[in-house]
Amino acid sequence: MISSLKHAGIDSLNQQYTTLDVYKRVEQLYQDFDAKDIMITSAFAATSAFLLKVFSDINKDQVIYFIDTGYHFKETLIYKEYLTKLYDLNVVSIQAEPIEYNFSKDNQLWEKNPNRCCYINKVKPLDHIKKDYKIWVSGLMKWQSDHRNSLQIFEEKETLLKFYPLLDIDYSERDQFIKDHHLPFHPLKSKGYSSIGCFHCTVPGEDRHGRWNNSPKTECGLHL
């Protein structure tokens, strides 16, 4: 069983996993790594059902971490509860310390300093638990942004190995998978929201163009 990068370089992992479809990639992940070392995060955003459906089919015991920023659309929270019940997901919510969240709220950091707002409410809460894992799974796809287009299926991120099983799935393949498997879209997608984050910083728009409409940001910082 592969337990660290010294036993298998990123290049060889990428070569192996690139030839596999999404389900085979996830199945292979559990063969190559211990389940206890795998961390999954989901924003329960526009089409999170794709990744969640795959992991639900393969390992229902897998913990799914949801970063509760305190600023999610009510539709996102409804979608989260719906998918959790639909796929019998093991969801654990994490959030900022109350004093830090209140600081971001009282000072309206999403307007004055959106990078700090994201750090307090997204990056820092996840930093507290990342140390317990070796693999971080996320549903990023290349077509979503220029930065994401530069990624590979496996990437090094500080002390973690990041795994993007959906990375090379294009826009039409994603939507076709969702239709073929009768997966529910986020309720805001029908209202023109292609990418959905916190309600202060998200407006309708194609791809990720509706995110951080009040700043030049394109990423919250989790995946940089």
Side-chain angles (χ1 to χ4, degrees):
M1 182 172 289
I2 301 172
S3 59
S4 69
L5 289 180
K6 68 182 179 181
H7 295 115
I10 291 180
D11 288 345
S12 62
L13 286 172
N14 280 316
Q15 289 174 7
Q16 177 188 8
Y17 279 70
T18 297
T19 63
L20 305 176
D21 64 28
V22 173
Y23 270 93
K24 292 295 185 183
R25 286 173 183 171
V26 174
E27 290 171 350
Q28 189 66 43
L29 185 74
Y30 285 109
Q31 293 179 35
D32 289 341
F33 298 92
D34 288 328
K36 65 180 177 60
D37 292 330
I38 298 171
M39 176 184 79
I40 301 179
T41 57
S42 176
F44 288 84
T47 51
S48 294
F50 190 153
L51 185 68
L52 296 174
K53 165 67 173 170
V54 173
F55 273 89
S56 167
D57 287 344
I58 294 173
N59 181 14
K60 284 191 178 295
D61 292 330
Q62 177 66 56
V63 173
I64 311 294
Y65 286 105
F66 171 67
I67 303 175
D68 186 355
T69 64
Y71 301 123
H72 286 293
F73 288 93
K74 67 179 185 300
E75 289 88 348
T76 297
L77 300 178
I78 292 170
Y79 188 55
K80 168 183 165 287
E81 291 304 316
Y82 180 70
L83 292 183
T84 298
K85 293 178 181 177
L86 182 64
Y87 301 135
D88 192 24
L89 301 174
N90 184 12
V91 178
V92 174
S93 294
I94 57 176
Q95 53 196 163
E97 295 292 333
I99 191 171
E100 294 190 286
Y101 167 73
N102 288 332
F103 174 81
S104 72
K105 184 177 181 180
D106 294 343
N107 290 277
Q108 299 184 348
L109 287 185
W110 55 87
E111 291 183 355
K112 300 174 183 177
N113 193 338
N115 284 331
R116 190 174 184 189
C117 190
C118 285
Y119 176 75
I120 288 173
N121 293 296
K122 290 187 175 183
V123 177
K124 194 172 180 180
L126 192 61
D127 280 346
H128 289 312
I129 65 170
K130 286 196 300 186
K131 64 182 182 299
D132 298 324
Y133 298 94
K134 295 178 181 177
I135 313 295
W136 176 6
V137 183
S138 183
L140 272 58
M141 302 180 195
K142 283 181 175 289
W143 56 265
Q144 293 172 326
S145 72
D146 290 340
H147 167 68
R148 298 178 183 197
N149 188 51
S150 69
L151 298 174
Q152 300 185 83
I153 293 173
F154 283 95
E155 295 272 350
E156 273 189 282
K157 172 71 171 179
E158 300 168 350
T159 61
L160 288 170
L161 186 62
K162 296 195 72 173
F163 176 55
Y164 307 118
L166 309 184
L167 191 65
D168 52 3
I169 299 296
D170 64 30
Y171 188 93
S172 59
E173 288 173 327
R174 179 203 65 176
D175 285 0
Q176 192 60 52
F177 181 94
I178 288 174
K179 291 175 182 177
D180 289 347
H181 292 82
H182 308 289
L183 308 185
F185 282 98
H186 191 293
L188 289 178
K189 193 171 187 303
S190 63
K191 297 181 180 180
Y193 291 80
S194 294
S195 181
I196 301 161
C198 297
F199 61 79
H200 293 301
C201 305
T202 308
V203 297
E206 291 297 320
D207 299 338
R208 291 176 63 80
H209 298 307
R211 299 292 296 279
W212 295 288
N213 61 298
N214 55 355
S215 82
K217 279 170 64 67
T218 60
E219 295 282 351
C220 66
L222 286 174
H223 303 294
L224 293 176

